[in-house]
Amino acid sequence: MKIIPPSFEIIGPMDGTEILKNIERAGRTCYKSEDLITEDSAAAFVKRILKRGHESVIEHDKATVKIICDRGVTHEIVRHRIASYSQESTRYCNYAKDKFGNELTFIRPYFWEEDGDKYRVWRETMQKIEDAYMELLTLGATPEEARSILPNSLKTEIIVTMNLRSWRHFFKLRTDAASHPQMREVARPLLDEFKRRLSVLFEDIVY
């Protein structure tokens, strides 16, 4: 059994300067003001359209992120539209195989101290689930049958692609204090990274 923290990775190039220029080119079509485009006009233009609530323009660009988290968190992530998702499948993945280290991997619930009773109960339960999962496979169950006992804490990987307007909506909801703590554990540092790369588009979202 392996226990890991959640993590994320931004997939592919995410050039903030080029993204803002693309958005400006699209947005100025609405006003036929393309003649006002200069080498450094994009950031100011995008700030103005966001202030006006004209967010449909930022749908012309997107970002893709690989998120490693527990399956309970992905149940919340995939409720977001418009987006595309590709997720690790417990139906086809056989965790008794060498490529998975012959073990299950779980996401550590950070809200419990590792030396506390709650964490102890959780860890013991995960071990029992791993033992039962492996036994089912030994008895001839297929992975899609054995997965019926797998918990929310099981580690999963999901590739998420959203346009930038959808990412703004995602961050407004999933970094808020009302969101699930394990969702915030992923969403807040991811928002910080988006702000670092695309501050104009995300600097107004605070938690």
Side-chain angles (χ1 to χ4, degrees):
M1 181 174 76
K2 183 187 296 184
I3 299 172
I4 64 170
S7 61
F8 65 82
E9 174 190 356
I10 294 177
I11 304 295
M14 190 175 177
D15 186 324
T17 300
E18 285 304 309
I19 287 173
L20 293 179
K21 287 182 177 181
N22 290 340
I23 293 171
E24 181 185 23
R25 281 194 291 269
R28 286 195 181 279
T29 300
C30 302
Y31 313 105
K32 295 311 298 172
S33 61
E34 294 95 334
D35 58 304
L36 297 180
I37 295 176
T38 66
E39 186 60 32
D40 59 357
S41 60
F45 176 82
V46 174
K47 282 184 178 180
R48 287 197 300 274
I49 62 173
L50 289 179
K51 189 174 182 179
R52 295 172 184 166
H54 191 17
E55 294 196 6
S56 63
V57 176
I58 66 174
E59 293 176 6
H60 288 289
D61 230 306
K62 62 180 176 59
T64 298
V65 179
K66 177 182 180 180
I67 298 174
I68 298 176
C69 59
D70 79 14
R71 294 193 70 86
V73 169
T74 64
H75 295 336
E76 299 189 20
I77 293 174
V78 298
R79 293 173 62 192
H80 285 268
R81 297 290 182 265
I82 302 168
S84 297
Y85 303 104
S86 298
Q87 185 172 359
E88 178 179 338
S89 173
T90 54
R91 182 181 180 190
Y92 299 111
C93 293
N94 183 336
Y95 297 105
K97 299 295 186 182
D98 290 344
K99 67 186 294 184
F100 299 104
N102 310 107
E103 63 185 350
L104 296 179
T105 298
F106 302 101
I107 298 295
R108 181 190 180 280
Y110 79 96
F111 39 77
W112 292 328
E113 296 295 331
E114 291 191 22
D115 58 355
D117 287 338
K118 293 175 182 177
Y119 184 85
R120 175 184 55 78
V121 170
W122 173 83
R123 184 182 176 91
E124 290 173 353
T125 302
M126 296 306 102
Q127 186 62 65
K128 290 176 182 176
I129 289 173
E130 181 183 69
D131 293 343
Y133 175 85
M134 298 302 178
E135 183 178 2
L136 284 170
L137 294 177
T138 300
L139 292 171
T142 63
E144 70 178 349
E145 294 169 343
R147 76 172 182 172
S148 62
I149 67 169
L150 296 176
N152 277 345
S153 288
L154 185 72
K155 164 261 178 190
T156 190
E157 299 181 11
I158 186 168
I159 303 295
V160 181
T161 300
M162 298 186 193
N163 68 56
L164 297 178
R165 185 183 192 181
S166 292
W167 276 118
R168 280 178 57 84
H169 180 252
F170 173 87
F171 288 129
K172 287 177 182 178
L173 290 182
R174 301 307 180 182
T175 63
D176 187 80
S179 65
H180 191 280
Q182 286 180 291
M183 184 76 257
R184 297 197 304 270
E185 188 183 16
V186 172
R188 288 181 172 183
L190 182 57
L191 172 59
D192 292 341
E193 182 62 18
F194 269 58
K195 286 182 177 182
R196 189 183 72 80
R197 300 188 186 207
L198 277 170
S199 61
V200 171
L201 286 170
F202 297 96
E203 63 187 357
D204 61 318
I205 304 174
V206 296
Y207 56 83

